[in-house]
């Protein structure tokens, strides 16, 4: 089933305690699409890049069978650029530079061939742009959305309006608490779901993720990655793995939703092993499914004798 991905395509400058990259491919739509490409049969990407966007990066996306009809190339300026520095606690980072460039005027126009996409990934962009995407698509089976504290604080009304058209929201624990104005995560989840999304995933970084769907709560473990080089894009990669699996199986039952969360976690665990999306370029099916089985073993609870 077809997957529509809308978000940023960017270049990042990244420094961690383990190395530095002055310029590397990034952006929410990039990570989502690359992760999903290992599962989904058809990925339709909508974003904008500038005159400096490299041919090799276009070819990388094409090599993963990502359709780029919806990728606007704006020759009037450069591609969105973000630069950040992570500390030894990789949950903390400093933003050193943000250059919106052509992304400042991004207008997500959905090509006609994309409008019937059954699965929609709304990457972390301004809520009014996310809503504009929803106005252009034709009754998708599942709309998944990401957001962040910046939009929760800066555009709360637009965010809550957009949430009414979303089926599944994916946010981290601090964002859930802030959006719901509730410190308890379980209560916060109930309040967020009352805003529109039927289901909710709360990411907890190195502590895994929680899925709230129907009357069920599913707790997924985090993979104990030994060599973490760069956490950039891990959340988007999680979303890509999750949606890639759901679009591949075309199955939204509770049991398959749990599998999708694990596949999202699998892909995110690979992402952090190298800088930027480097690890997502050349994964094998065996690596992915072997790690899925390792995730299952991590959380297996023995029967009582």
């Amino acid at each position: 089933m077809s997957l529509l991905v809308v978000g940023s395509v960017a270049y990042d400058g990244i420094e961690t305690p383990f190395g530095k990259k002055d310029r590397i491919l990034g952006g929410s739509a990039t990570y989502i699409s690359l992760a999903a490409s290992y599962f989904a049969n058809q990925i339709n990407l909508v974003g904008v890049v500038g005159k400096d966007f490299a041919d090799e990066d276009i070819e990388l996306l094409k090599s993963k069978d990502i359709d780029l009809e919806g990728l606007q190339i704006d020759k009037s300026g450069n591609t969105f650029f973000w630069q950040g520095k992570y500390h030894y606690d990789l949950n903390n980072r400093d933003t050193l530079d943000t250059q919106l460039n052509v992304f400042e005027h991004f207008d997500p126009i959905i090509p006609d061939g994309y409008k019937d996409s059954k699965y929609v990934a709304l990457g972390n962009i301004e809520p009014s742009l996310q809503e504009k995407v929803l106005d252009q698509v034709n009754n998708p089976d599942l709309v998944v959305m990401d957001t962040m504290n910046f939009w929760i604080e800066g555009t709360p009304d637009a965010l809550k309006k957009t949430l009414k058209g979303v089926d599944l929201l994916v946010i981290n624990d601090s964002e859930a608490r802030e959006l719901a104005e509730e410190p308890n995560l379980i209560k916060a989840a109930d309040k967020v779901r009352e805003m529109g999304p039927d289901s909710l995933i709360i990411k907890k970084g190195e502590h895994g993720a929680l899925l709230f769907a129907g009357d069920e709560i599913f707790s997924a473990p985090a993979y104990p990655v030994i060599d973490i080089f760069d956490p950039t894009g891990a959340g988007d990669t999680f979303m890509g793995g999750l949606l890639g699996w759901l679009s591949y199986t075309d199955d939204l039952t509770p049991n398959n939703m749990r599998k999708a969360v694990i596949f999202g976690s699998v892909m995110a665990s690979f992402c952090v092993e190298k800088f930027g999306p480097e690890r997502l370029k050349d994964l094998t099916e065996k690596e992915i499914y072997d790690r899925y089985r390792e995730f299952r073993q991590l959380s297996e609870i023995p029967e009582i004798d």
Side-chain angles (χ1 to χ4, degrees), residues 82-110:
W82 173 86
Q83 183 178 14
K85 179 177 180 179
Y86 291 88
H87 303 281
Y88 274 100
D89 178 357
L90 293 172
N91 292 312
N92 296 318
R93 72 183 185 191
D94 298 322
T95 294
L96 305 179
D97 188 17
T98 301
Q99 301 173 26
L100 292 176
N101 297 326
V102 297
F103 189 65
E104 183 175 4
H105 305 292
F106 176 44
D107 183 16
I109 303 300
I110 311 302

Side-chain angles (χ1 to χ4, degrees), residues 9-240:
V9 180
Y11 284 118
D12 295 333
I14 302 166
E15 182 177 355
T16 79
F18 314 108
K20 183 179 180 181
K21 293 285 186 180
D22 292 329
R23 183 179 172 89
I24 195 168
L25 183 63
S28 62
T30 302
Y31 282 101
I32 294 169
S33 297
L34 287 175
S37 71
Y38 287 93
F39 308 98
N41 295 319
Q42 181 182 348
I43 299 173
N44 303 320
L45 188 153
V46 172
V48 62
V49 295
K51 60 186 179 182
D52 61 336
F53 199 71
D55 290 342
E56 65 185 59
D57 293 321
I58 291 285
E59 292 308 312
L60 168 65
L61 296 172
K62 287 182 177 179
S63 73
K64 298 297 183 182
D65 294 325
I66 298 167
D67 192 287
L68 300 182
E69 182 186 350
L71 181 65
Q72 306 164 22
I73 300 178
D74 185 344
K75 299 291 188 180
S76 69
N78 289 329
T79 304
F80 176 34
F81 178 77
W82 173 86
Q83 183 178 14
K85 179 177 180 179
Y86 291 88
H87 303 281
Y88 274 100
D89 178 357
L90 293 172
N91 292 312
N92 296 318
R93 72 183 185 191
D94 298 322
T95 294
L96 305 179
D97 188 17
T98 301
Q99 301 173 26
L100 292 176
N101 297 326
V102 297
F103 189 65
E104 183 175 4
H105 305 292
F106 176 44
D107 183 16
I109 303 300
I110 311 302
D112 289 341
Y114 292 5
K115 291 182 178 180
D116 289 326
S117 297
K118 293 302 180 183
Y119 292 82
V120 176
L122 299 176
N124 184 11
I125 57 176
E126 187 178 350
S128 62
L129 296 181
Q130 293 172 321
E131 185 179 19
K132 184 170 184 177
V133 172
L134 296 182
D135 289 340
Q136 298 177 69
V137 294
N138 301 322
N139 300 313
D141 291 343
L142 183 75
V143 175
V144 182
M145 172 181 165
D146 187 15
T147 193
M148 64 185 297
N149 299 84
F150 184 81
W151 307 120
I152 294 171
E153 297 164 10
T155 59
D157 293 337
L159 174 59
K160 290 177 180 177
K161 183 180 179 183
T162 304
L163 282 173
K164 295 182 186 300
V166 171
D167 301 303
L168 170 62
L169 178 66
V170 182
I171 51 178
N172 67 33
D173 47 0
S174 67
E175 292 160 351
R177 290 185 173 101
E178 183 170 9
L179 179 58
E181 299 181 344
E182 169 57 57
N184 181 282
L185 271 185
I186 307 302
K187 293 180 180 178
D190 289 340
K191 290 186 176 182
V192 171
R193 292 172 69 189
E194 289 173 358
M195 298 177 186
D198 292 330
S199 302
L200 172 69
I201 292 174
I202 298 178
K203 300 172 294 183
K204 299 170 63 185
E206 61 190 305
H207 303 296
L210 293 170
L211 166 67
F212 299 84
D215 296 326
E216 296 187 1
I217 301 176
F218 172 58
S219 179
Y223 186 78
V225 180
I226 296 175
D227 296 317
I228 301 179
F229 281 86
D230 174 23
T232 308
D236 296 314
T237 302
F238 173 91
M239 188 170 170

